[in-house]
């Protein structure tokens, strides 16, 4: 598997692998999938499920013979690994967490569907939070950590964003 489905193939994945929200009957084999939108409360949701003692894709360690795998579903590579290990079909996680909905659909099948849920935050609140987070997030990679923002007034930061045409949620849903 080299990429993530697009176009008609992605539509087919969603049709087959996504539980119908109109039908409230949740099948025993369905797995909740939390669509993790950055800066929208996802860490609190992860912590909540951990407190309940549920196994999430955030804290899933798999032993296969002599191999020990710490799974992560925040990258396409991690999702492909989860698919190869059949974590959904084997019922190894109570909840899957990922920001990559199109890629994550590949972990599921028509007998083991995803039941997607998410928290949304007002876009301006999200950007304000991101502005402050980027100033201190030295554990993040390039493109996120920006300590120079501490010297940039928030008004200037938003002025620089006004011509930006990307939208995280639209890009995520369209797999772009």
């Amino acid at each position: 598997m080299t990429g993530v489905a697009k176009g008609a193939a992605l539509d087919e994945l969603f049709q087959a692998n996504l539980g119908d929200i109109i039908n409230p009957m949740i099948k025993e084999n369905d797995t909740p999938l939390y669509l993790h939108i950055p800066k929208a409360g996802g860490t609190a949701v992860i912590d909540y499920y951990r407190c309940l003692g549920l196994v999430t894709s955030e804290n899933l360690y798999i032993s296969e013979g002599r191999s020990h795998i710490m799974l992560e579903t925040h990258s396409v590579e991690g999702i492909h690994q989860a698919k190869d290990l059949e974590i959904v079909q084997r019922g190894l996680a109570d909840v899957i967490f990922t920001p990559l909905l199109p890629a994550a659909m590949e972990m599921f099948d028509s007998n083991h569907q995803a039941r997607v849920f998410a928290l949304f935050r007002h876009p301006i609140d999200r950007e304000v939070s991101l502005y402050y987070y980027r100033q201190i997030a030295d554990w993040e990679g390039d493109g996120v950590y920006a300590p120079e923002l501490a010297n940039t007034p928030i008004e200037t930061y938003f002025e620089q964003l006004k011509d930006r045409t990307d939208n995280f949620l639209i890009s995520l849903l369209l797999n772009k």
Side-chain angles (χ1 to χ4, degrees), residues 69-83:
I69 302 162
M70 183 179 136
L71 195 64
E72 61 85 20
T73 51
H74 277 71
S75 70
V76 172
E77 296 79 19
I79 289 170
H80 287 173
Q81 184 179 38
K83 178 185 177 4

Side-chain angles (χ1 to χ4, degrees), residues 2-3 14 19 36 39 44-46 51 60-62 78 84-85 87 91 98 116 126 132 136 153 160 162 170:
T2 56
F14 278 116
H36 189 172
K39 309 310 300 162
V45 173
I46 291 166
C51 284
L60 183 58
Y61 300 91
I62 300 173
D84 292 343
L85 292 168
I87 68 162
T98 186
V116 178
R126 239 182 106 252
Y132 289 110
I136 62 165
Q160 293 167 351
K162 78 174 184 170
I170 299 299

Side-chain angles (χ1 to χ4, degrees), residues 132-176:
Y132 289 110
Y133 178 77
R134 292 183 66 200
Q135 295 174 38
I136 62 165
D138 58 356
W139 55 90
E140 295 280 4
D142 292 336
V144 176
Y145 181 50
E148 67 278 3
L149 285 178
N151 299 320
T152 304
I154 196 165
E155 295 84 1
T156 303
Y157 174 75
F158 275 105
E159 187 66 29
Q160 293 167 351
L161 293 179
K162 78 174 184 170
D163 294 326
R164 192 176 76 183
T165 57
D166 65 326
N167 180 303
F168 173 81
L169 196 53
I170 299 299
S171 297
L172 174 122
L173 293 174
L174 294 177
N175 197 26
K176 294 189 177 216

Side-chain angles (χ1 to χ4, degrees), residues 87-162:
I87 68 162
V88 171
Q89 291 74 11
R90 293 166 61 190
L92 298 179
D94 296 312
V95 184
I96 306 291
F97 288 89
T98 186
L100 305 171
L101 186 60
M105 285 298 96
E106 295 182 13
M107 291 188 291
F108 298 86
D109 59 45
S110 59
N111 294 317
H112 303 88
Q113 294 183 314
R115 292 289 177 154
V116 178
F117 67 106
L119 287 181
F120 295 89
R121 186 176 188 182
H122 192 283
I124 293 174
D125 290 343
R126 239 182 106 252
E127 287 295 339
V128 168
S129 177
L130 185 60
Y131 166 77
Y132 289 110
Y133 178 77
R134 292 183 66 200
Q135 295 174 38
I136 62 165
D138 58 356
W139 55 90
E140 295 280 4
D142 292 336
V144 176
Y145 181 50
E148 67 278 3
L149 285 178
N151 299 320
T152 304
I154 196 165
E155 295 84 1
T156 303
Y157 174 75
F158 275 105
E159 187 66 29
Q160 293 167 351
L161 293 179
K162 78 174 184 170

Side-chain angles (χ1 to χ4, degrees), residues 41-53:
T43 303
V45 173
I46 291 166
D47 291 344
Y48 173 74
Y49 282 105
R50 283 185 185 152
C51 284
L52 292 176

